[in-house]
Amino acid sequence: LAAFVGGFFDVDSITLSMSRLADHEISEVVATIAITIAVLTNNLSKIPIFMLFGNRKVAFRLFLVFLPITVLGALALFFI
């Protein structure tokens, strides 16, 4: 849940936190899942930002680029 919410704002902090926690406190699998969720959330949060503050044409292009990335990233979660 923290990775999902944190992904809207900053992926770097989640990545650093999870990689440090994976050394001793949590498993590498949990850290990998959290980082993947944060990255997917961050990608999806960029589209509404472009729709609100930018160009809708660019937002649609972002959607076309981020859609396969998001689908493949979500599928990758099943293989972790």
Side-chain angles (χ1 to χ4, degrees), residues 30-48:
V30 172
T32 304
I33 290 170
I35 292 169
T36 304
I37 290 171
V39 168
L40 293 175
T41 306
N42 190 267
N43 281 345
L44 291 176
S45 69
K46 291 183 186 335
I47 297 167

PDB file of all heavy atoms in Angstrom, residues 30-48:
ATOM      1  N   VAL A  30       9.759  -9.206  -1.699  1.00  0.00           N
ATOM      2  CA  VAL A  30       8.857  -8.141  -1.237  1.00  0.00           C
ATOM      3  C   VAL A  30       9.366  -6.784  -1.722  1.00  0.00           C
ATOM      4  O   VAL A  30       8.576  -5.948  -2.181  1.00  0.00           O
ATOM      5  CB  VAL A  30       8.732  -8.167   0.303  1.00  0.00           C
ATOM      6  CG1 VAL A  30       7.975  -6.955   0.808  1.00  0.00           C
ATOM      7  CG2 VAL A  30       8.058  -9.445   0.757  1.00  0.00           C
ATOM      8  N   ALA A  31      10.660  -6.567  -1.657  1.00  0.00           N
ATOM      9  CA  ALA A  31      11.236  -5.304  -2.128  1.00  0.00           C
ATOM     10  C   ALA A  31      11.016  -5.126  -3.625  1.00  0.00           C
ATOM     11  O   ALA A  31      10.654  -4.037  -4.085  1.00  0.00           O
ATOM     12  CB  ALA A  31      12.726  -5.254  -1.801  1.00  0.00           C
ATOM     13  N   THR A  32      11.190  -6.195  -4.384  1.00  0.00           N
ATOM     14  CA  THR A  32      10.995  -6.124  -5.836  1.00  0.00           C
ATOM     15  C   THR A  32       9.548  -5.818  -6.185  1.00  0.00           C
ATOM     16  O   THR A  32       9.267  -4.997  -7.067  1.00  0.00           O
ATOM     17  CB  THR A  32      11.427  -7.451  -6.493  1.00  0.00           C
ATOM     18  OG1 THR A  32      12.779  -7.724  -6.130  1.00  0.00           O
ATOM     19  CG2 THR A  32      11.304  -7.395  -7.991  1.00  0.00           C
ATOM     20  N   ILE A  33       8.627  -6.450  -5.495  1.00  0.00           N
ATOM     21  CA  ILE A  33       7.202  -6.202  -5.742  1.00  0.00           C
ATOM     22  C   ILE A  33       6.851  -4.748  -5.404  1.00  0.00           C
ATOM     23  O   ILE A  33       6.144  -4.081  -6.163  1.00  0.00           O
ATOM     24  CB  ILE A  33       6.339  -7.188  -4.939  1.00  0.00           C
ATOM     25  CG1 ILE A  33       6.484  -8.593  -5.521  1.00  0.00           C
ATOM     26  CG2 ILE A  33       4.865  -6.759  -4.927  1.00  0.00           C
ATOM     27  CD1 ILE A  33       5.863  -9.684  -4.677  1.00  0.00           C
ATOM     28  N   ALA A  34       7.351  -4.252  -4.283  1.00  0.00           N
ATOM     29  CA  ALA A  34       7.061  -2.871  -3.882  1.00  0.00           C
ATOM     30  C   ALA A  34       7.615  -1.876  -4.900  1.00  0.00           C
ATOM     31  O   ALA A  34       6.932  -0.903  -5.264  1.00  0.00           O
ATOM     32  CB  ALA A  34       7.639  -2.591  -2.503  1.00  0.00           C
ATOM     33  N   ILE A  35       8.825  -2.100  -5.367  1.00  0.00           N
ATOM     34  CA  ILE A  35       9.427  -1.194  -6.357  1.00  0.00           C
ATOM     35  C   ILE A  35       8.641  -1.241  -7.661  1.00  0.00           C
ATOM     36  O   ILE A  35       8.373  -0.196  -8.279  1.00  0.00           O
ATOM     37  CB  ILE A  35      10.914  -1.541  -6.576  1.00  0.00           C
ATOM     38  CG1 ILE A  35      11.718  -1.211  -5.314  1.00  0.00           C
ATOM     39  CG2 ILE A  35      11.469  -0.798  -7.785  1.00  0.00           C
ATOM     40  CD1 ILE A  35      13.128  -1.756  -5.328  1.00  0.00           C
ATOM     41  N   THR A  36       8.235  -2.421  -8.097  1.00  0.00           N
ATOM     42  CA  THR A  36       7.467  -2.553  -9.337  1.00  0.00           C
ATOM     43  C   THR A  36       6.125  -1.846  -9.226  1.00  0.00           C
ATOM     44  O   THR A  36       5.710  -1.133 -10.151  1.00  0.00           O
ATOM     45  CB  THR A  36       7.252  -4.040  -9.678  1.00  0.00           C
ATOM     46  OG1 THR A  36       8.520  -4.693  -9.741  1.00  0.00           O
ATOM     47  CG2 THR A  36       6.542  -4.204 -10.998  1.00  0.00           C
ATOM     48  N   ILE A  37       5.448  -2.004  -8.110  1.00  0.00           N
ATOM     49  CA  ILE A  37       4.162  -1.317  -7.909  1.00  0.00           C
ATOM     50  C   ILE A  37       4.351   0.194  -7.916  1.00  0.00           C
ATOM     51  O   ILE A  37       3.559   0.927  -8.512  1.00  0.00           O
ATOM     52  CB  ILE A  37       3.499  -1.793  -6.601  1.00  0.00           C
ATOM     53  CG1 ILE A  37       3.023  -3.238  -6.760  1.00  0.00           C
ATOM     54  CG2 ILE A  37       2.343  -0.879  -6.199  1.00  0.00           C
ATOM     55  CD1 ILE A  37       2.555  -3.886  -5.484  1.00  0.00           C
ATOM     56  N   ALA A  38       5.404   0.672  -7.275  1.00  0.00           N
ATOM     57  CA  ALA A  38       5.665   2.116  -7.244  1.00  0.00           C
ATOM     58  C   ALA A  38       5.935   2.662  -8.648  1.00  0.00           C
ATOM     59  O   ALA A  38       5.442   3.733  -9.012  1.00  0.00           O
ATOM     60  CB  ALA A  38       6.841   2.419  -6.323  1.00  0.00           C
ATOM     61  N   VAL A  39       6.695   1.933  -9.440  1.00  0.00           N
ATOM     62  CA  VAL A  39       7.002   2.384 -10.810  1.00  0.00           C
ATOM     63  C   VAL A  39       5.735   2.401 -11.660  1.00  0.00           C
ATOM     64  O   VAL A  39       5.489   3.358 -12.413  1.00  0.00           O
ATOM     65  CB  VAL A  39       8.089   1.489 -11.445  1.00  0.00           C
ATOM     66  CG1 VAL A  39       8.219   1.738 -12.927  1.00  0.00           C
ATOM     67  CG2 VAL A  39       9.422   1.713 -10.751  1.00  0.00           C
ATOM     68  N   LEU A  40       4.922   1.360 -11.555  1.00  0.00           N
ATOM     69  CA  LEU A  40       3.680   1.321 -12.328  1.00  0.00           C
ATOM     70  C   LEU A  40       2.740   2.451 -11.927  1.00  0.00           C
ATOM     71  O   LEU A  40       2.139   3.111 -12.784  1.00  0.00           O
ATOM     72  CB  LEU A  40       2.990  -0.030 -12.132  1.00  0.00           C
ATOM     73  CG  LEU A  40       3.724  -1.241 -12.707  1.00  0.00           C
ATOM     74  CD1 LEU A  40       3.001  -2.524 -12.325  1.00  0.00           C
ATOM     75  CD2 LEU A  40       3.876  -1.133 -14.204  1.00  0.00           C
ATOM     76  N   THR A  41       2.610   2.690 -10.644  1.00  0.00           N
ATOM     77  CA  THR A  41       1.764   3.785 -10.172  1.00  0.00           C
ATOM     78  C   THR A  41       2.281   5.131 -10.652  1.00  0.00           C
ATOM     79  O   THR A  41       1.507   5.997 -11.071  1.00  0.00           O
ATOM     80  CB  THR A  41       1.703   3.773  -8.633  1.00  0.00           C
ATOM     81  OG1 THR A  41       1.280   2.484  -8.204  1.00  0.00           O
ATOM     82  CG2 THR A  41       0.744   4.812  -8.116  1.00  0.00           C
ATOM     83  N   ASN A  42       3.591   5.305 -10.612  1.00  0.00           N
ATOM     84  CA  ASN A  42       4.183   6.564 -11.055  1.00  0.00           C
ATOM     85  C   ASN A  42       3.922   6.793 -12.538  1.00  0.00           C
ATOM     86  O   ASN A  42       3.607   7.913 -12.943  1.00  0.00           O
ATOM     87  CB  ASN A  42       5.678   6.567 -10.752  1.00  0.00           C
ATOM     88  CG  ASN A  42       6.297   7.916 -10.973  1.00  0.00           C
ATOM     89  OD1 ASN A  42       6.797   8.186 -12.066  1.00  0.00           O
ATOM     90  ND2 ASN A  42       6.273   8.753  -9.964  1.00  0.00           N
ATOM     91  N   ASN A  43       4.045   5.755 -13.338  1.00  0.00           N
ATOM     92  CA  ASN A  43       3.768   5.892 -14.768  1.00  0.00           C
ATOM     93  C   ASN A  43       2.316   6.287 -15.011  1.00  0.00           C
ATOM     94  O   ASN A  43       2.030   7.164 -15.826  1.00  0.00           O
ATOM     95  CB  ASN A  43       4.073   4.594 -15.506  1.00  0.00           C
ATOM     96  CG  ASN A  43       5.543   4.408 -15.755  1.00  0.00           C
ATOM     97  OD1 ASN A  43       6.326   5.336 -15.637  1.00  0.00           O
ATOM     98  ND2 ASN A  43       5.934   3.209 -16.095  1.00  0.00           N
ATOM     99  N   LEU A  44       1.397   5.645 -14.308  1.00  0.00           N
ATOM    100  CA  LEU A  44      -0.019   5.939 -14.508  1.00  0.00           C
ATOM    101  C   LEU A  44      -0.408   7.322 -13.985  1.00  0.00           C
ATOM    102  O   LEU A  44      -1.360   7.924 -14.484  1.00  0.00           O
ATOM    103  CB  LEU A  44      -0.877   4.867 -13.832  1.00  0.00           C
ATOM    104  CG  LEU A  44      -0.820   3.498 -14.484  1.00  0.00           C
ATOM    105  CD1 LEU A  44      -1.636   2.498 -13.682  1.00  0.00           C
ATOM    106  CD2 LEU A  44      -1.323   3.565 -15.912  1.00  0.00           C
ATOM    107  N   SER A  45       0.304   7.829 -13.005  1.00  0.00           N
ATOM    108  CA  SER A  45      -0.038   9.145 -12.460  1.00  0.00           C
ATOM    109  C   SER A  45       0.378  10.285 -13.385  1.00  0.00           C
ATOM    110  O   SER A  45      -0.119  11.397 -13.245  1.00  0.00           O
ATOM    111  CB  SER A  45       0.601   9.327 -11.086  1.00  0.00           C
ATOM    112  OG  SER A  45       2.008   9.443 -11.196  1.00  0.00           O
ATOM    113  N   LYS A  46       1.253  10.025 -14.310  1.00  0.00           N
ATOM    114  CA  LYS A  46       1.717  11.088 -15.215  1.00  0.00           C
ATOM    115  C   LYS A  46       0.657  11.461 -16.258  1.00  0.00           C
ATOM    116  O   LYS A  46       0.597  12.606 -16.697  1.00  0.00           O
ATOM    117  CB  LYS A  46       3.007  10.658 -15.901  1.00  0.00           C
ATOM    118  CG  LYS A  46       4.169  10.586 -14.933  1.00  0.00           C
ATOM    119  CD  LYS A  46       5.427  10.225 -15.647  1.00  0.00           C
ATOM    120  CE  LYS A  46       6.601   9.999 -14.751  1.00  0.00           C
ATOM    121  NZ  LYS A  46       6.648  10.607 -13.465  1.00  0.00           N
ATOM    122  N   ILE A  47      -0.178  10.536 -16.648  1.00  0.00           N
ATOM    123  CA  ILE A  47      -1.176  10.803 -17.682  1.00  0.00           C
ATOM    124  C   ILE A  47      -2.194  11.851 -17.228  1.00  0.00           C
ATOM    125  O   ILE A  47      -2.430  12.832 -17.945  1.00  0.00           O
ATOM    126  CB  ILE A  47      -1.847   9.494 -18.133  1.00  0.00           C
ATOM    127  CG1 ILE A  47      -0.792   8.582 -18.779  1.00  0.00           C
ATOM    128  CG2 ILE A  47      -2.968   9.766 -19.118  1.00  0.00           C
ATOM    129  CD1 ILE A  47      -1.234   7.168 -18.983  1.00  0.00           C
ATOM    130  N   PRO A  48      -2.814  11.718 -16.051  1.00  0.00           N
ATOM    131  CA  PRO A  48      -3.746  12.776 -15.620  1.00  0.00           C
ATOM    132  C   PRO A  48      -3.072  14.139 -15.416  1.00  0.00           C
ATOM    133  O   PRO A  48      -3.694  15.179 -15.642  1.00  0.00           O
ATOM    134  CB  PRO A  48      -4.310  12.259 -14.293  1.00  0.00           C
ATOM    135  CG  PRO A  48      -4.059  10.808 -14.291  1.00  0.00           C
ATOM    136  CD  PRO A  48      -2.864  10.584 -15.141  1.00  0.00           C
TER     137      PRO A  48
END
